[in-house]
Amino acid sequence: ICSANLSWEIPVEQWQETIDTNLTGVFFTAKATVPALIEQGTGGSIIITSSVAGLRGLPFLGHYVASKHGVVGLARTMANELGQHAIRVNTLHPHGVATGM
């Protein structure tokens, strides 16, 4: 999810909704699926959708950018943790995708 505001003018509710959806949602998905990948013992791959905003700052999108940088950080950490189980973790970084937003 995404909406535009100057970083210091983002309403708290908008900040929380963005972080909860874009970052916490990824965490919960990983928490629910990683144990099964480890248990199967055959390795695997996790691909997490971030955004070009996960690679650089973009004006008027502080909450979105923070959430997508968080996704990248979580993926990097998980890659380090899951490598011993032959599970790769990567992020995708689309930009300019035509959607209803």
Side-chain angles (χ1 to χ4, degrees):
I1 64 171
C2 185
S3 57
N5 270 312
L6 294 168
S7 296
W8 59 92
E9 293 179 353
I10 297 168
V12 172
E13 298 80 15
Q14 200 173 71
W15 172 273
Q16 195 62 60
E17 181 181 32
T18 303
I19 297 298
D20 285 350
T21 301
N22 294 350
L23 179 55
T24 306
V26 170
F27 167 74
F28 283 138
T29 301
K31 188 166 181 60
T33 58
V34 167
L37 284 174
I38 293 171
E39 186 178 323
Q40 76 184 7
T42 57
S45 178
I46 297 170
I47 301 171
I48 301 170
T49 303
S50 178
S51 164
V52 72
L55 302 174
R56 64 178 191 236
L58 299 173
F60 310 110
L61 300 174
H63 47 338
Y64 183 78
V65 170
S67 72
K68 294 303 185 173
H69 270 77
V71 164
V72 172
L74 179 60
R76 288 177 177 164
T77 297
M78 289 175 60
N80 287 319
E81 295 169 340
L82 294 171
Q84 66 181 320
H85 300 285
I87 299 170
R88 296 182 323 275
V89 182
N90 298 98
T91 53
L92 296 175
H93 301 272
H95 180 63
V97 177
T99 69
M101 291 185 351

